[in-house]
Structure formats: structure tokens, C-alpha cells
Amino acid sequence: MSRPAGVVEHLFRHSAGRIVATLARALGPERLDLAEEAVADALEQALRTWPQAGIPDNPRGWLFRAARNRAMDVVRREQTLRTLLPRLGELDGHEADRGTDDELVLMLLCCHPALPTVSQVALTLKTVGGLGVNEIAAALLTKPATVAQRLVRAKKWLRESGKPLSLPGPDALESRVDSVLAVLYLLFNEGYDATTGEVAVRGELCGEAIRLGRLLLAEPKTDLPRVRALVALMLLQGSRLPARVDREGDLLLLDEQDRDRWDHAMIAEGTRLFERACTGPEMSAYHVEAAIALCHSTASPPDWRRIVDLYDDLLALRPSPVARLNRAIALSMVDGALGSAIAELEAIEADLPDYTLLPAVLGALWLRAGDPVRAAEHYRRALALPCSEPQRRFLTRRLTACATTP
């Protein structure tokens, strides 16, 4: 974090959405593009000037003022926007620290029910989460061109809708919260298991998802049981991040990880929050996933039969091929169930044709079953699909192991 590029990357992940939200409050949500562009220009300016001039004492405040000034330059040039100049001029450097309410409101606006759900997710991931089009496409299991089109249409709706940047009323709030939770879930997962790039884990994305979840908890109107359950889930999963890769940055499976390196303070916080989430009658998919994470965090080895039962509960609440895949992984750890797990995975291959984890898991299970030839076929399939460089190295090592297994 002492290097300028590292500080800028940190600010991009942890402050860009906040600054965009504050500028959008002054400009109006119809000028969201201008707010985003101003922040992007400010980040580029920081990368150009900080290596020579040094990192300012208040980097976030510097970035905010640079973005505000860039927006004011654009507004001055456009006659139709000049009425916005006083609003921008009233913003000062302290707005960068006060912008959490704006950020929450922007998240909820991006999740307006008039937008298709997939567009809500893409817009929030881009605007508040800071993900690029390729990252969003990987998280949504879709094509980058499709994501780009959805973003264009969503921003066009924002410009034309005239919706205010304000907290929605009680009747509209709960449905918006569900969309925000879906976004945070995807943002966290993209950090926990990076699908592109040079690193296996992107802790800054996980931390950002947890931070945004805490924004929901800090607002009494959005401090709901399912919100607590999701933040608990992210804390419990996030506690493993320090042990999830080795010194070379390569992936370590759960049974290979040093549990002493897990963040036990996060486990304790996640456990307390999960208990608070379970005080009422509500039972969401996030409750079940948090219970699964708790099983992994509190017992070694975990109670795999209990975890399989929890996945059955999850599939009843939210059926998905990814949940079926994870259930099959858990089932494979139950004595005598390896063949059944393989059969379940083969049954969902058509549902996840481009999901790298599926052939990778099949390769691992066939290797355990004593068939290295069939295992190698699946590892080669996995290597032909998009993945991060650490994932590629992991799969290559496993493919080599197939050749040396009798």
C-alpha cells in the first residue's frame, strides 16, 4: 500500500463507488456516466502524478476533489448542464468520507424493479462494485457483449426515468434489498474464486462486498435477517482467505489449508451475526449457505452428511446447477458415495457447459475412483475453458498427476 499504484488500486476498489454516488447526488442519476468518467479520469491522473509528486496525505480526499473538478470542467462546457455547477461547487473533500449514505441509495436505485434483474446486477457491479465488463460476464456466466448491452440499456433507462437519488419507501425497499444482496453475493464470489487474471483470490473484492453489506446493516430499514445471513456467510467464507493460496499464490483445497491461518475473529463475528439472523421465522438461501459455511468453520473434518442435507434445503429454496454441483462435491466426501456423486455431476454437464469447476471436479473424482485416463479427459476439458492463471497451473499439475498414477 506504500506504492502509488497500490494506493490507487485500493481506492478504486474501496472508494470509487462512494465518490461516484456522491457526484451522482449532485449531478442527478441521469448523469451517472459523467460521474463514472470523472472518477476514472481522477484515478488515471493519480497514476500519472503520484509516482513523481508522492502520495497525498488524504488520498481519498485528493481523488474526490480531482473527480469533482473534472466533472465541473465538463459541466462548464455544456450549456445545458451549467445549472449543476453550484451543486458540484458545494461538495468538499469531506464528502468523500460522508458518502456512505449516497452509496447505499445508489445501490438501491441501480436495483430498481423497472430494470430486468440481470441488468440490476450488472449495473450495480459496474457502478458501485467497480467490476469490469469481463469480470461481470464471468460472474453472471454470460458473454461480455451481452453485459455491455445490458449496461447501455440500464444507463439509458436511468437517464430517461427521472428517478430521484433517494431512499425508496418501505413498500419498495424489501424487493430492492433482494437485488442488492444478489449483487453482493456475486461480487464476493468473484473475489473468493477469481475467474480471470493472474491471482486466484481477490481479497479486495471480498472486502468490498462485506463493506457494502455492512452499509445495509447500518440502515435500520435494511437491517433484515437475510441481510445478516449474507454478511455472516461472507465473513465465514472470507475468514479462509489467508490460507486459500500457498506462498506462490496457487490454490489450496479446503483439506490442504492451515486452519491456524484462518481469521478466527471473522469466524466469531460471522457466527454472532448468523445467530442474530436466526432470531425470527425467516429462512432464506443465505441462511442455509451460512449454515454450510459454519459447518466447515467449526469442525475438522466437517460433518459431510449434515452438509449434504443442508444442500438439499438450499436446492428446495433456490434450485441451481451450481448448488447441485456443490452438493455433489459434499456427497463425494461421504463414505461409499463417490459413484453417486460422479453420476450427479455428469447429469448437470449440459447445464454448465462453460463452467470450469465442473470438469475440474469430475477430474478429481475420477482420479479418486482409480481411473486416471478418464480424469485426464476432464482436466483437459477444464483447461480449454476460461480460468485464472493460478487455476490453470492447478489444473495442469492435476493433469500431470494423472499421467503418473498407475
Side-chain angles (χ1 to χ4, degrees):
M1 286 298 297
S2 60
R3 295 180 298 107
V7 176
V8 172
E9 171 68 13
H10 178 80
L11 287 170
F12 173 66
R13 292 301 182 194
H14 294 275
S15 299
R18 190 180 307 179
I19 297 172
V20 167
T22 301
L23 291 177
R25 170 163 55 84
L27 293 166
E30 67 276 8
R31 300 298 308 196
L32 182 60
D33 278 340
L34 174 55
E36 287 186 296
E37 290 164 9
V39 172
D41 287 347
L43 289 164
E44 290 180 11
Q45 185 181 346
L47 284 172
R48 289 194 309 270
T49 61
W50 289 3
Q52 288 75 37
I55 300 170
D57 292 337
N58 181 0
R60 183 187 294 163
W62 186 100
L63 189 67
F64 178 87
R65 288 188 292 273
R68 180 202 58 189
N69 292 343
R70 173 59 180 157
M72 291 179 75
D73 288 343
V74 173
V75 167
R76 286 190 188 98
R77 290 198 302 269
E78 296 189 30
Q79 181 68 36
T80 57
L81 297 179
R82 287 185 181 175
T83 56
L84 300 176
L85 271 176
R87 297 188 203 171
L88 286 170
E90 291 171 1
L91 302 179
D92 58 35
H94 298 294
E95 297 284 350
D97 299 313
R98 293 199 299 261
T100 53
D101 290 344
D102 294 330
E103 205 170 4
L104 175 60
V105 169
L106 181 58
M107 277 199 295
L108 293 167
L109 178 61
C110 289
C111 292
H112 195 283
L115 290 169
T117 302
V118 288
S119 297
Q120 296 174 23
V121 172
L123 185 61
T124 313
L125 287 174
K126 175 70 170 63
T127 303
V128 184
L131 265 65
V133 169
N134 290 337
E135 294 171 307
I136 297 170
L140 296 177
L141 301 178
T142 190
K143 296 178 180 178
T146 303
V147 170
Q149 291 171 357
R150 287 172 180 162
L151 287 170
V152 169
R153 289 196 291 266
K155 289 182 178 180
K156 181 175 183 290
W157 177 85
L158 275 181
R159 287 195 302 272
E160 297 176 352
S161 69
K163 298 295 181 184
L165 196 60
S166 58
L167 201 66
D171 295 339
L173 197 56
E174 287 215 12
S175 63
R176 305 270 193 101
V177 167
D178 287 334
S179 296
V180 171
L181 294 182
V183 171
L184 299 187
Y185 183 82
L186 289 170
L187 180 61
F188 181 89
N189 286 338
E190 178 59 25
Y192 189 76
D193 194 5
T195 53
T196 60
E198 301 295 324
V199 295
V201 169
R202 300 175 68 183
E204 76 280 1
L205 294 185
C206 296
E208 183 68 357
I210 292 171
R211 185 185 72 80
L212 294 173
R214 283 177 167 145
L215 289 185
L216 291 170
L217 294 177
E219 166 55 54
K221 295 178 182 176
T222 54
D223 181 13
L224 305 170
R226 59 189 179 277
V227 178
R228 298 171 197 162
L230 176 59
V231 179
L233 167 63
M234 294 190 294
L235 287 165
L236 292 167
Q237 294 277 67
S239 70
R240 303 178 206 155
L241 289 176
R244 199 151 191 274
V245 295
D246 61 19
R247 291 182 179 178
E248 286 71 42
D250 287 337
L251 283 166
L252 293 173
L253 299 178
L254 187 64
D255 59 358
E256 300 170 330
Q257 294 174 18
D258 179 359
R259 284 175 169 255
D260 289 338
R261 296 187 61 210
W262 289 4
D263 189 326
H264 294 280
M266 288 181 72
I267 293 174
E269 183 185 357
T271 302
R272 289 193 300 270
L273 194 55
F274 180 61
E275 290 171 352
R276 284 185 56 215
C278 297
T279 54
E282 181 178 340
M283 177 61 68
S284 69
Y286 302 119
H287 283 81
V288 181
E289 289 201 56
I292 293 169
L294 197 58
C295 287
H296 286 299
S297 299
T298 56
S300 180
D303 183 345
W304 291 108
R305 174 52 67 185
R306 167 67 175 153
I307 291 174
V308 171
D309 291 342
L310 286 169
Y311 273 116
D312 288 336
D313 294 338
L314 179 62
L315 285 165
L317 288 167
R318 189 175 63 195
S320 78
V322 173
R324 290 180 64 191
L325 183 153
N326 288 324
R327 181 191 183 278
I329 294 172
L331 182 64
S332 74
M333 303 302 292
V334 176
D335 288 343
L338 182 58
S340 298
I342 291 173
E344 288 198 16
L345 290 172
E346 290 176 340
I348 60 172
E349 284 187 279
D351 297 321
L352 295 168
D354 300 318
Y355 197 56
T356 310
L357 182 60
L358 178 53
V361 172
L362 276 168
L365 297 193
W366 277 116
L367 195 58
R368 278 176 53 195
D371 193 335
V373 174
R374 196 173 290 186
E377 292 174 1
H378 288 292
Y379 280 129
R380 280 191 284 269
R381 277 183 52 217
L383 282 164
L385 295 171
C387 59
S388 67
E389 287 307 309
Q391 286 174 327
R392 189 170 301 281
R393 293 195 298 270
F394 175 86
L395 293 168
T396 301
R397 289 197 303 273
R398 293 302 168 112
L399 180 59
T400 301
C402 293
T404 59
T405 300

